[in-house]
Amino acid sequence: MSQRRKFIKQSLIGTALFIPSISTACAADEKQNSSELGEMPLILSTWNHGLPANQAAMDSLTAGGTILDAVEAGVRDTELDMDNLSVGLQGLPDREGITTLDASIMTGDGNCGSVAFVRQIKHPITLARRVMEKTPHVMLAGEGARQFAIAEGFPLEKEELSPKAAIEYEKWKKTSQYKPIINIENHDTIGMIGIDAKGNMAGSCTTSGLAYKMHGRVGDSPIIGAGLYVDNEVGAATATGLGETIIKICGSFLIVELMRQGRTPQEACEEAVRRLISKNKNINDIQAGFLAINKEGVTGAFAVHPGFNFAKATQSGNVLIDSNSHFKP
């Protein structure tokens, strides 16, 4: 298991202005299947890097920001984490040694924006928000996204691998094969969904994508309905894992629609995993996980295999929880 999936020490989080305590916890079935009203405001995010991301999101709310501001601020924190090799410009590159980024952002009223295959932009999540708010489009990709970023005043970062990514890339080149080797390549997106005290929702998702991917590959993270979907009338969902498998089932949209039909967030996440398993071969080599919140603040989480964890933040605390999974240890 990689270093970033180890529990983050409390000292790394800093003093919480909004959250009185930070802890870790194992997910009991009753936590993931509760039908009681949830505590709001609430932030969920994928993996253990979600703990500091949740803190940044809650700090934004405390300072008077909207839930949209919060989910942007939260994952911006991860985009700057030099120890994270799956998000931001420090992430592992594609097979050509180039780091390309994907991101999406969405509000509960259906407004959304995304960028894909972006180079040299430190905060693709902020660029995705700018696409949402300043263009008539939902998605910009590649050179077009970079040109828009320049027009909006985003500085272009020097195109070079981070020290850690450079070391890992040189190791990979020694034995590389030109095909994905699932479970030894890194694809740990951060997806974040949240609901404020008034029931307004928003979500964000950002990643450097599958390590050593073919140049030009885009995963689920910037695709509205796959890596992220939010609807104030129903709930929100986000995904992590091998993006191709999530795209095939429109995973996040599927979960929200199942909740619209009356499923709990937990039931909806479990059904999405079953659907994903049914549509993909070699499932033993595929990991994917989903998070969901409904409009009452009830949460759900489920994964294909053990090992997926997520962070949950409320005014009561910020905890890391091990998700249940379809396949058992």
Side-chain angles (χ1 to χ4, degrees):
M1 184 171 292
S2 63
Q3 181 65 31
R4 71 184 174 282
R5 293 199 189 176
K6 294 180 180 178
F7 289 170
I8 296 177
K9 294 181 180 179
Q10 185 169 344
S11 61
L12 296 179
I13 308 301
T15 302
L17 298 178
F18 191 87
I19 305 172
S21 64
I22 298 170
S23 61
T24 60
C26 290
D29 288 345
E30 61 268 22
K31 284 188 177 181
Q32 292 192 25
N33 291 293
S34 173
S35 61
E36 297 178 0
L37 295 182
E39 182 179 352
M40 297 182 284
L42 165 69
I43 303 289
L44 291 185
S45 55
T46 58
W47 305 110
N48 60 0
H49 45 238
L51 283 173
N54 282 0
Q55 181 65 56
M58 283 297 196
D59 286 347
S60 176
L61 287 175
T62 302
T66 65
I67 190 63
L68 176 62
D69 295 331
V71 297
E72 178 191 3
V75 301
R76 276 175 63 98
D77 181 88
T78 314
E79 289 176 339
L80 293 179
D81 181 1
M82 293 302 294
D83 290 327
N84 190 310
L85 296 182
S86 63
V87 177
L89 288 175
Q90 66 277 2
L92 294 171
D94 63 21
R95 296 178 184 277
E96 310 304 322
I98 300 169
T99 302
T100 63
L101 309 178
D102 305 324
S104 65
I105 196 164
M106 188 171 189
T107 58
D109 61 1
N111 208 12
C112 53
S114 74
V115 291
F117 192 49
V118 174
R119 297 162 67 169
Q120 297 180 268
I121 301 299
K122 183 180 294 184
H123 288 298
I125 194 63
T126 298
L127 184 59
R129 180 172 179 175
R130 204 70 61 88
V131 170
M132 176 178 74
E133 294 179 336
K134 292 199 169 184
T135 80
H137 308 305
V138 168
M139 178 184 286
L140 292 179
E143 185 58 27
R146 184 163 62 170
Q147 290 175 2
F148 175 67
I150 294 170
E152 286 296 305
F154 286 71
L156 290 183
E157 306 299 323
K158 187 176 181 180
E159 193 160 45
E160 62 182 7
L161 297 182
S162 67
K164 288 185 178 181
I167 291 171
E168 294 303 315
Y169 181 57
E170 290 303 316
K171 290 179 183 178
W172 175 80
K173 286 197 298 183
K174 293 178 182 179
T175 58
S176 62
Q177 292 182 328
Y178 203 72
K179 62 180 181 180
I181 306 172
I182 307 305
N183 279 351
I184 68 168
E185 295 184 353
N186 184 305
H187 44 86
D188 294 345
T189 306
I190 182 166
M192 175 179 284
I193 49 178
I195 184 169
D196 66 17
K198 296 181 180 180
N200 297 308
M201 292 184 175
S204 58
C205 194
T206 182
T207 186
S208 56
L210 184 68
Y212 321 122
K213 59 197 175 187
M214 294 177 66
H215 189 62
R217 180 264 189 186
V218 173
D220 65 297
S221 298
I223 299 177
I224 300 300
L228 178 70
Y229 198 75
V230 185
D231 186 337
N232 270 352
E233 295 181 358
V234 182
T238 190
T240 185
L242 185 61
E244 284 77 1
T245 68
I246 296 163
I247 293 170
K248 288 178 181 179
I249 64 165
C250 296
S252 294
F253 179 78
L254 171 63
I255 288 169
V256 172
E257 288 307 295
L258 288 170
M259 290 192 291
R260 192 188 306 275
Q261 296 169 18
R263 306 281 187 98
T264 67
Q266 184 62 33
E267 290 169 343
C269 288
E270 292 179 10
E271 176 59 28
V273 167
R274 287 191 291 269
R275 189 80 58 88
L276 185 149
I277 291 170
S278 73
K279 298 296 183 182
N280 290 277
K281 299 178 180 179
N282 302 319
I283 198 65
N284 288 339
D285 294 325
I286 292 171
Q287 174 67 305
F290 297 99
L291 297 179
I293 303 172
N294 68 13
K295 64 181 181 179
E296 286 81 27
V298 179
T299 66
F302 207 62
V304 176
H305 296 287
F308 171 51
N309 54 27
F310 64 97
K312 178 180 180 180
T314 65
Q315 295 184 52
S316 300
N318 188 12
V319 297
L320 188 66
I321 300 172
D322 291 325
S323 171
N324 291 327
S325 60
H326 181 86
F327 296 104
K328 304 306 177 185

